[in-house]
Amino acid sequence: FKEGKISHYQASDPKHIIEYMDEKKERFEQILPQLLLKRSMSIEKSDVTLFKNIRGVKELYFELLDAAGTEHLTLGSPKESLMMGDAWWLGYHKKRISKGIHAKQIFNESLRDWVKRNRYNDKLSEIKFTVKGFEPLTEIVIRGEKIGIIIWTEKPIGILIYNKALANSYDKYFEIMWKTARR
């Protein structure tokens, strides 16, 4: 309300925000089947998708989580990947574990202490490390026929490639690197 030239404001009950979000979610769930149908009807599936910023990279990881296959292979996670936050990483791997997906991960040596502090102790994960001093800003994740390449700059970039032959090639590359990585 206005009192002369001065405007006065009062906050609404914060509980209404939850109601608003529930309403939006309900509306989205109503159109979701139509969106999924349109996506599945696309004539030509894209082989490469680009994701930008942290929000985009999170979406890339969820795409990988939904990919076919029973293994999640990660190569070269740098300390910059921690910009996603501990809670996000732990939640992501909790979802992976709940889906029964085995993970073999080769992290950069700079993440060894982080792994000790935040280890998502499960029987579905094996972790090794690269040699000290090698700290690339890229990370490669292989899931089924999909490859995610994440470039961990200040505003991260993710590239999702859907190609069976390339995924097989990266699988072989990963196995070579796995043999040389250290526990």
Side-chain angles (χ1 to χ4, degrees), residues 79-145:
K79 65 181 178 237
E80 284 78 8
S81 65
L82 298 180
M83 69 175 70
M84 300 280 270
D86 294 353
W88 191 86
W89 281 118
L90 296 172
Y92 175 80
H93 284 288
K94 186 176 180 180
K95 288 176 186 166
R96 175 189 55 78
I97 291 161
S98 72
K99 290 180 171 235
I101 300 168
H102 182 261
K104 287 170 83 174
Q105 300 170 301
I106 303 173
F107 291 152
N108 291 351
E109 180 64 32
S110 60
L111 288 179
R112 188 178 289 275
D113 289 337
W114 183 87
V115 168
K116 285 179 186 174
R117 283 191 317 273
N118 295 290
R119 183 68 189 252
Y120 30 89
N121 291 319
D122 67 278
K123 296 177 183 177
L124 295 177
S125 298
E126 295 177 69
I127 298 175
K128 289 187 176 182
F129 297 90
T130 60
V131 294
K132 194 172 188 171
F134 180 64
E135 184 73 25
L137 291 176
T138 57
E139 177 178 341
I140 300 166
V141 181
I142 307 137
R143 280 274 295 128
E145 297 179 0

Side-chain angles (χ1 to χ4, degrees), residues 2 6 8 17 45 79 84 87 109 120 126 134 147 149 152 162 169:
K2 278 194 165 208
I6 299 172
H8 297 271
I17 294 172
K45 297 218 184 241
K79 65 181 178 237
M84 300 280 270
E109 180 64 32
Y120 30 89
E126 295 177 69
F134 180 64
I147 304 104
I149 301 171
W152 292 106
Y162 182 77
S169 174

Side-chain angles (χ1 to χ4, degrees), residues 63-71 143-146:
E63 286 280 332
L64 290 168
L65 196 60
D66 290 338
T70 58
E71 240 181 0
R143 280 274 295 128
E145 297 179 0
K146 293 184 179 182

Side-chain angles (χ1 to χ4, degrees), residues 50-62:
L50 181 68
F51 298 84
K52 291 184 176 183
N53 299 316
I54 288 176
R55 188 172 185 177
V57 170
K58 286 179 180 180
E59 182 61 30
L60 179 147
Y61 273 101
F62 289 126

